[in-house]
Amino acid sequence: MEKTRTALFASPHIALLTPLFESMPDQVLVIDTNSTLLFANRAFSTAGIERFGTTFVVGKPICNEEKKSVLVDQRIWQRVMDGEEFSLTEEQSVGTAGKKKTANNNVAYYEIHFVPIINDKSKVLGGAAFIRDVSLLRRAEIDLIESRITLQETQTLANITRWSFDLAGESADWDDAFYTIFKKPVALKKDKEALFSMLTPGDQKSLIQKIEDALISNQTDITFDISFASENVGRRYIHTLGKIDRDNGKFIGVSDDITDMKTAQIALETQNKELENTKIAMLNVLEDSQMLEHQTQGTVLQLTAI
């Protein structure tokens, strides 16, 4: 969702934005710093009955520990009140709140974008959430993950590896294709420390944050990209589809070497940038040429006058 929406909240007069919010396909809610609901559009009110089994009342607090959702989680809203803007993905069973999830198609997935409401003096007045149903996209990603996990026999040919580690413990595991993709010796000890040593500090932090956000928001699946430098073959780019196995306390990842695709993409971006720089240089030359021509014409006129 577009982060430019932040600019909408420069004014504390939320009522003026009501027509805009009501016309949005997204579900929208706005709260103050005390977690009191100031506004919810019709899209959210309608969906709220199915998702939570109840409606949210304007003028009443929305945070509730009994309802399992990031939208009513005080910890999430505190990040917003601290001035942070961020997005989370949440999954919930379709139907009445609390209904047991059975199959993939019985689970709905929502992308939720949280935005602080800030006045012209940089003071946080409250927060807003924009909720979008992304179930079709997430189900497609899940189907892809499940399909790729079954490709054990063709992993080496497909440049795919499967790996996992304990969320709370230190153990980790991976298949033989792992060594090929990550360019590591077969003698590498299989534990979480060795696994994370292949990530840059930035990638380590990003992965840990994604897992923490997923655990808080009851999310199962995440995706992320990492890159690392290999002494023999240069920089590698790896795309990973991950699944959190809460029952067994594990994170399972399926990684694909996308170095060729990423290298081609970078080369194309570089070419486009060089082309743009060339265009700018050409325009500068033309401008300089025109200025010189004007100056020459002025000199000719002065000499003619003499």
Side-chain angles (χ1 to χ4, degrees):
M1 300 183 185
E2 303 85 350
K3 291 190 176 182
T4 52
R5 288 177 178 156
T6 308
L8 294 174
F9 300 108
S11 168
H13 305 294
I14 303 301
L16 298 177
L17 300 173
T18 299
L20 174 63
F21 291 155
E22 289 293 5
S23 66
M24 284 183 170
D26 298 340
Q27 303 167 36
V28 184
L29 65 86
V30 180
I31 69 171
D32 63 15
T33 53
N34 295 317
S35 301
T36 300
L37 183 64
L38 300 179
F39 170 83
N41 67 351
R42 279 189 291 271
F44 177 80
S45 299
T46 301
I49 296 176
E50 182 171 340
R51 290 177 64 190
F52 302 105
T54 184
T55 58
F56 290 89
V57 180
V58 172
K60 298 290 185 179
I62 68 166
C63 291
N64 187 330
E65 294 182 358
E66 296 180 359
K67 296 182 176 64
K68 304 300 182 182
S69 171
V70 295
L71 289 172
V72 293
D73 192 319
Q74 185 64 51
R75 297 169 299 175
I76 297 296
W77 283 110
Q78 186 57 54
R79 290 171 60 183
V80 180
M81 300 311 164
D82 290 339
E84 182 179 354
E85 179 177 353
F86 57 95
S87 294
L88 295 175
T89 300
E90 180 174 69
E91 65 178 70
Q92 288 192 340
S93 58
V94 175
T96 305
K99 178 181 176 181
K100 184 178 180 180
K101 293 179 286 187
T102 55
N104 187 23
N105 288 337
N106 288 340
V107 180
Y109 298 87
Y110 300 93
E111 180 187 84
I112 308 173
H113 189 67
F114 293 92
V115 184
I117 302 173
I118 303 174
N119 65 9
D120 55 359
K121 296 181 179 179
S122 300
K123 180 180 179 180
V124 176
L125 304 177
F130 298 88
I131 306 100
R132 179 171 298 171
D133 190 332
V134 293
S135 299
L136 291 178
L137 176 61
R138 297 300 293 169
R139 287 168 188 159
E141 291 181 348
I142 291 171
D143 289 341
L144 178 60
I145 292 174
E146 293 175 347
S147 296
R148 296 177 84 173
I149 289 178
T150 63
L151 296 177
Q152 296 293 325
E153 310 83 39
T154 59
Q155 284 181 334
T156 302
L157 292 176
N159 254 2
I160 296 173
T161 181
R162 185 177 186 272
W163 50 275
S164 65
F165 63 82
D166 288 342
L167 293 173
E170 295 301 321
S171 65
D173 192 22
W174 48 78
D175 55 30
D176 291 341
F178 182 89
Y179 301 106
T180 302
I181 290 180
F182 284 91
K183 310 301 178 187
K184 292 296 179 180
V186 177
L188 187 68
K189 182 181 178 181
K190 288 187 176 182
D191 59 23
K192 190 187 293 186
E193 181 181 357
L195 181 65
F196 273 73
S197 70
M198 283 173 288
L199 307 180
T200 65
D203 286 336
Q204 290 182 29
K205 183 178 180 181
S206 177
L207 174 57
I208 292 172
Q209 185 64 59
K210 283 179 178 290
I211 293 175
E212 289 179 350
D213 288 344
L215 290 172
I216 291 176
S217 60
N218 198 33
Q219 183 183 351
T220 300
D221 309 291
I222 64 175
T223 63
F224 60 94
D225 293 328
I226 63 174
S227 67
F228 62 91
S230 174
E231 295 181 3
N232 300 324
V233 292
R235 181 157 294 278
R236 312 300 295 173
Y237 297 90
I238 309 297
H239 178 67
T240 297
L241 302 174
K243 179 184 286 289
I244 295 176
D245 182 357
R246 287 181 171 81
D247 293 336
N248 297 306
K250 290 181 175 293
F251 177 84
I252 303 171
V254 177
S255 297
D256 186 7
D257 189 339
I258 59 170
T259 299
D260 292 343
M261 180 181 70
K262 189 68 175 180
T263 302
Q265 178 184 347
I266 293 173
L268 180 60
E269 291 174 352
T270 301
Q271 290 176 357
N272 290 337
K273 186 175 181 179
E274 291 175 350
L275 179 59
E276 188 64 28
N277 291 337
T278 300
K279 290 179 180 179
I280 294 173
M282 290 174 62
L283 289 174
N284 291 336
V285 170
L286 288 173
E287 290 178 357
D288 293 341
S289 177
Q290 290 174 351
M291 290 181 59
L292 180 59
E293 183 179 351
H294 289 317
Q295 292 174 355
T296 303
Q297 290 176 350
T299 302
V300 170
L301 291 175
Q302 291 175 359
L303 291 174
T304 302
I306 296 173

